[in-house]
Amino acid sequence: MRQLIPVVIGAVLLSGCSPDAKPIEYTYLPEVYDTLNLTDLKEDDPKLGALIKQVCATKRVAPPKNYAVGKQYFVNLVSQFPESMGEQAVYLKTKQDRFLYCHDSVSKPGYHKLTPKQDRFSSKHLVTPQNQVAFHPLSSNFEESIRISGRSLMKSARELTVPTTGYLVVRATNEQTKQTVVTNIMELTPFVGTVPLVLESNFQIQEPYEVQLNLMGQIRYRASIHSSKEQSTIQFKEGSHTDGTYGTVTVKEKSGKTTRYKLTVKQERQLPSGLDIPPDELYDADYSLPRFAIFHDRPFGKLKFEADRGLNQADPFPLEGYIETSLEESKQLVRLIEDSEETKRKGQLAKRKYLTLLNKGKAQQFKIYLDRRVKKTDVYLEDVHRKISFKLSAVGRDLLLETYHIK
């Protein structure tokens, strides 16, 4: 009997079959992700995007200290899935370890540790973060977006280079009463870049009219500097920028009352207390990533960045190029695939040769093969990731051939 064991194992290996393989196995599939390198403004390796999604789904760890900042990325499901929400990530490097900082629109951002095997990110052009707030003139990149609001006092517009830990806290001190209030809070993250800051006058959603500071970024908190029943005029005088001084704003109401506020912008380690600040958790119970199936005749078109045209889809799908199922239809399809039998595939590729299943952020993709014979046609699905094939049952075969018109 001992001599037979290696022979049997060898036969299984040569056959390419894995008896325990399940037909449905979702994974982070590069084919379904657009991966953009935001630092270089270009598309990047989809496999890197799949790795980013995988790492960002792991447990958050404590923030590292004394790190250098690498490239920034944006990973999103391809444009055939418009319901998806993208994820930003930035690569961090310390002397001992490597991390990704991940941020999306529905969950608390945080740091995730990379294993040595996962560290496939470039270490070139690492940036050491600033350790204090610095003020600069407004660049042309931001000028138009600020001017378009119509309420902005352009003379006050500045660009801030900020540290990448803690919180950016803006305070206004009434120079007559000496009362100080917090007007803006932004959580500082490893995303290296500049933040525009500008005064806005006569901002009104409901009465009264308000003077506010617009700090364009991931704002945690915003409150008015001054409010009045009627519109006011404001003047701004730039400060010395020492000790975080931004400048002085003078507010003159129609009644003639004049109030002057000193504005400061500082990095602080903790959130100021006593403020009505939204909780960290941003999860929306109504939000859900798409979950359905799509039959398509070509690989998904990716986004590409072109200097003169911005982001564009390289090969948009024509309407006749795919069939998208509903959620209930996809559940039925998945159940039938789960009942399929692993075997060596036969036949030729179908005209509409791809089937992609999407389940939240993960996916599975098959190539569809048809084994046509005189009296019947058998349908085989080949998992493009695992390179194994499954034969659909008669019910599954009829669903693809008759309902989805796979030919």
Side-chain angles (χ1 to χ4, degrees):
M1 283 296 291
R2 289 181 184 175
Q3 292 180 346
L4 290 175
I5 292 174
V7 175
V8 172
I9 294 175
V12 171
L13 291 175
L14 287 172
S15 70
C17 293
S18 46
D20 296 329
K22 297 180 180 179
I24 298 296
E25 182 178 277
Y26 297 108
T27 187
Y28 294 99
L29 202 63
E31 286 83 353
V32 303
Y33 293 116
D34 281 319
T35 305
L36 301 174
N37 177 339
L38 298 182
T39 302
D40 298 329
L41 293 177
K42 65 180 184 180
E43 65 273 11
D44 214 313
D45 184 357
K47 291 181 180 179
L48 198 62
L51 173 63
I52 289 170
K53 294 294 291 185
Q54 179 185 353
V55 173
C56 290
T58 61
K59 186 177 180 181
R60 292 191 295 268
V61 299
K65 297 179 180 179
N66 302 319
Y67 52 73
V69 180
K71 292 185 176 181
Q72 302 176 32
Y73 300 89
F74 180 73
V75 183
N76 194 48
L77 289 170
V78 294
S79 55
Q80 276 69 40
F81 308 109
E83 298 89 345
S84 65
M85 304 288 282
E87 185 150 29
Q88 283 185 274
V90 61
Y91 176 65
L92 306 176
K93 185 176 182 179
T94 67
K95 287 184 178 179
Q96 295 82 20
D97 298 307
R98 312 292 182 262
F99 300 84
L100 288 183
Y101 175 85
C102 303
H103 174 74
D104 61 29
S105 300
V106 294
S107 57
K108 183 178 179 181
Y111 299 83
H112 304 260
K113 192 173 181 180
L114 292 162
T115 66
K117 187 177 179 180
Q118 292 172 329
D119 187 17
R120 304 179 208 161
F121 298 84
S122 171
S123 293
K124 294 180 180 179
H125 311 300
L126 292 172
V127 177
T128 302
Q130 294 277 348
N131 57 14
Q132 59 185 1
V133 179
F135 295 80
H136 311 282
L138 191 68
S139 68
S140 59
N141 292 337
F142 289 115
E143 190 168 344
E144 184 60 26
S145 61
I146 290 177
R147 191 188 302 277
I148 201 169
S149 76
R151 299 184 303 267
S152 298
L153 182 65
M154 296 304 296
K155 184 180 178 181
S156 70
R158 298 290 180 271
E159 236 169 273
L160 307 179
T161 301
V162 297
T164 60
T165 57
Y167 301 88
L168 196 68
V169 182
V170 184
R171 287 183 166 87
T173 301
N174 185 314
E175 293 198 339
Q176 284 95 330
T177 65
K178 304 304 179 183
Q179 182 180 4
T180 298
V181 296
V182 174
T183 63
N184 302 75
I185 294 174
M186 185 178 81
E187 188 165 1
L188 297 172
T189 73
F191 293 102
V192 174
T194 55
V195 181
L197 176 72
V198 64
L199 278 164
E200 292 186 339
S201 62
N202 301 316
F203 187 90
Q204 185 189 39
I205 297 176
Q206 298 176 340
E207 288 188 4
Y209 290 94
E210 297 183 342
V211 177
Q212 295 188 356
L213 263 173
N214 188 358
L215 181 63
M216 297 182 183
Q218 297 173 26
I219 298 172
R220 290 291 301 276
Y221 178 84
R222 183 175 178 178
S224 65
I225 296 170
H226 183 93
S227 62
S228 58
K229 291 183 179 180
E230 298 182 276
Q231 294 187 8
S232 303
T233 58
I234 63 174
Q235 293 180 329
F236 175 76
K237 183 179 179 181
E238 189 171 9
S240 62
H241 298 164
T242 58
D243 195 28
T245 301
Y246 169 42
T248 303
V249 58
T250 302
V251 184
K252 186 175 182 179
E253 299 179 20
K254 281 191 175 182
S255 65
K257 180 183 176 181
T258 301
T259 312
R260 190 167 57 251
Y261 300 90
K262 179 184 176 182
L263 308 176
T264 58
V265 183
K266 295 183 179 180
Q267 176 206 24
E268 299 184 11
R269 293 292 177 182
Q270 303 294 330
L271 277 170
S273 60
L275 301 177
D276 185 16
I277 297 174
D280 283 331
E281 293 295 342
L282 304 175
Y283 179 75
D284 182 351
D286 294 331
Y287 170 82
S288 61
L289 283 165
R291 178 178 175 176
F292 49 73
I294 182 169
F295 294 92
H296 48 113
D297 61 8
R298 69 193 74 182
F300 292 127
K302 301 287 187 171
L303 288 177
K304 291 189 179 296
F305 183 84
E306 300 172 19
D308 56 340
R309 298 176 58 210
L311 286 173
N312 290 282
Q313 190 177 353
D315 185 19
F317 265 29
L319 289 176
E320 66 274 11
Y322 67 96
I323 299 173
E324 182 182 309
T325 71
S326 67
L327 175 59
E328 290 306 315
E329 288 171 334
S330 70
K331 288 180 178 179
Q332 178 192 22
L333 186 59
V334 166
R335 286 195 294 267
L336 292 173
I337 295 174
E338 285 175 333
D339 291 337
S340 64
E341 175 188 353
E342 183 184 354
T343 184
K344 184 178 179 180
R345 67 165 173 81
K346 298 179 182 179
Q348 303 296 318
L349 276 170
K351 289 183 179 179
R352 184 163 285 150
K353 55 190 173 186
Y354 293 100
L355 168 60
T356 298
L357 307 175
L358 197 72
N359 188 359
K360 299 183 179 179
K362 296 182 180 181
Q364 185 170 12
Q365 190 172 94
F366 297 99
K367 285 186 177 179
I368 305 170
Y369 287 84
L370 303 180
D371 182 25
R372 297 182 177 90
R373 286 174 286 167
V374 176
K375 292 187 177 181
K376 71 172 184 175
T377 298
D378 288 325
V379 178
Y380 295 81
L381 300 179
E382 182 183 64
D383 187 310
V384 300
H385 182 66
R386 292 180 291 170
K387 304 301 182 186
I388 54 178
S389 301
F390 303 90
K391 181 182 179 182
L392 288 180
S393 66
V395 178
R397 174 199 66 203
D398 293 343
L399 181 71
L400 262 68
L401 298 179
E402 297 174 10
T403 302
Y404 297 111
H405 307 292
I406 301 301
K407 300 177 181 178

